[in-house]
Amino acid sequence: MSEPTASGTLSTDSRHPASRTGVAALGYGAANVGNLFRPLTDEQAWAVLDAAWESGIRAYDTAPHYGLGLSERRLGAFLRTKPRDEYVLSTKAGRLLRPNPDHVDGGLDTDNDFFVPDELRRVWDFSAAGIRASLDESRERLGIERIDILYLHDPERHDLQLALDEAFPALEALRAEGQVGRIGIGSMTADALTAAVRSADLDTIMVAGRYTLLEQPAAAEVIPACAERGARIVAASVFNSGLLAQDEPQRSGRYEYGALPEELWQRLVRIADVCRAHGVPLPAAAIQYPLQSPVVEAVVVGGSRPEQLRQNAELAALEIPAELWRDLADRGLIPA
């Protein structure tokens, strides 16, 4: 991904994938500034976003789901201080935020891992009216009219067939009207991603945790479907729940919602050994691996501390020898 164009789309360098690495191919996923896993003050959240901007990051992704709208409000307040044509903004639809009748004083949304008052609740709505309402409400929270990319968020968690029948046509209509620049799906399920790409006219899909240095289930069908249909990929959750975020993997690390399976642990150890042999930090390889595919245009990373954003930008720009990828492929650790 290169700098955003005036139309708000992402232009892609068609040269060797190595030419697309670096900060220009790095985006910030703003779930953390919605108080994911731990609370941040407004000042702390601003410092994180400021570090992302100062590090050269110019793509920002959010969602109503993140902190029951807090992420959108904080991100919008920050981005309103920046020239609109200098960044790409994406958010998501599918969950509307409505008053929570079960809220009690002091109640938090920690069942969803967000440390925010649970005064609102998420309501699934894949109807055309619901998708349009979601976009309008996101614009209001962000305080920004132009949304460059609108993803349907986690449709497999609600009703994938309903998404195919109603939600994606609604997104296509919004794009045709010029209400959004690009449309897509954000999901961590390869089957849902493949079905969406093959059934709808999507521009961009966000693949969360399914195309990483550690595991590549999206390689079998999602990537070929995108290549066939002309859709681009934004890779998210590339650290696999933090397993790839440090040079020395920890056996006690968590894998998504449970313990790390032994098979994946052994694979992780072997990958880390190869990276060490080539003098490449494991997190740098994790950030840059998805960009070796020509259909991947960007990698989105999170972070709740300014130093994390600065470090990720440095790792994204680090030169990695092609021999590393060849060695990993020869050992069967990534697809050849």
Side-chain angles (χ1 to χ4, degrees):
M1 181 186 71
S2 63
E3 293 297 320
T5 65
S7 64
T9 61
L10 306 179
S11 58
T12 304
D13 190 332
S14 61
R15 296 171 292 170
H16 187 275
S19 68
R20 296 184 295 107
T21 60
V23 175
L26 189 67
Y28 177 64
N32 289 107
V33 299
N35 287 5
L36 178 65
F37 300 135
R38 71 184 189 96
L40 299 179
T41 65
D42 288 343
E43 292 75 17
Q44 289 171 324
W46 189 282
V48 169
L49 294 169
D50 192 53
W53 186 273
E54 292 302 314
S55 297
I57 293 173
R58 293 295 182 269
Y60 296 85
D61 177 71
T62 184
H65 173 61
Y66 302 157
L68 295 169
L70 179 62
S71 172
E72 288 185 318
R73 291 193 298 273
R74 283 174 164 172
L75 179 60
F78 176 81
L79 290 178
R80 290 197 302 273
T81 69
K82 307 301 181 185
R84 183 60 189 89
D85 286 343
E86 291 189 11
Y87 61 85
V88 172
L89 173 61
S90 60
T91 190
K92 304 181 182 76
R95 294 174 172 97
L96 297 175
L97 303 182
R98 296 294 179 260
N100 181 8
D102 299 322
H103 171 70
V104 296
D105 288 345
L108 297 174
D109 187 42
T110 49
D111 284 349
N112 294 289
D113 295 321
F114 291 100
F115 284 76
V116 295
D118 61 354
E119 297 170 350
L120 301 173
R121 64 188 178 100
R122 301 163 181 84
V123 177
W124 291 105
D125 193 334
F126 285 178
S127 69
I131 296 299
R132 194 171 293 268
S134 183
L135 174 60
D136 289 342
E137 292 166 17
S138 286
R139 283 170 168 162
E140 184 175 355
R141 284 188 291 268
L142 287 159
I144 297 171
E145 181 70 14
R146 192 175 100 202
I147 305 300
D148 299 310
I149 309 173
L150 184 62
Y151 298 105
L152 187 67
H153 202 183
D154 298 330
E156 75 286 348
R157 296 191 182 185
H158 177 49
D159 188 327
L160 181 58
Q161 191 58 53
L162 186 62
L164 299 175
D165 293 341
E166 297 189 23
F168 289 119
L171 288 174
E172 291 171 4
L174 288 172
R175 181 183 58 195
E177 295 170 15
Q179 296 289 330
V180 296
R182 301 171 73 174
I183 61 170
I185 175 178
S187 173
M188 61 184 299
T189 303
D191 289 347
L193 292 163
T194 303
V197 171
R198 295 204 179 279
S199 301
D201 181 19
L202 304 182
D203 304 296
T204 309
I205 69 169
M206 181 171 284
V207 179
R210 301 283 75 87
Y211 191 64
T212 73
L213 184 63
L214 182 59
E215 53 177 348
Q216 306 88 31
E221 294 189 35
V222 179
I223 287 180
C226 287
E228 176 186 331
R229 301 278 289 178
R232 313 298 291 174
I233 289 176
V234 172
S237 301
V238 296
F239 291 137
N240 275 111
S241 306
L243 293 171
L244 299 168
Q246 50 191 344
D247 282 325
E248 297 297 333
Q250 301 298 312
R251 183 64 183 88
S252 59
R254 304 291 289 176
Y255 174 69
E256 294 184 354
Y257 303 109
L260 176 62
E262 180 63 23
E263 180 182 356
L264 274 183
W265 166 247
Q266 294 299 329
R267 186 181 185 86
L268 177 58
V269 169
R270 293 174 64 199
I271 291 171
D273 287 344
V274 174
C275 289
R276 193 178 304 110
H278 287 272
V280 174
L282 180 61
I287 290 174
Q288 295 192 33
Y289 168 70
L291 293 162
Q292 304 312 300
S293 169
V295 300
V296 177
E297 65 179 358
V299 167
V300 168
V301 296
S304 60
R305 297 176 176 85
E307 56 270 23
Q308 292 174 323
L309 273 297
R310 298 186 189 102
Q311 182 181 51
N312 285 336
E314 292 174 359
L315 294 171
L318 184 70
E319 185 173 350
I320 293 181
E323 289 79 8
L324 171 68
W325 311 122
R326 286 197 291 268
D327 196 357
L328 289 167
D330 288 345
R331 296 167 185 254
L333 296 171
I334 61 174

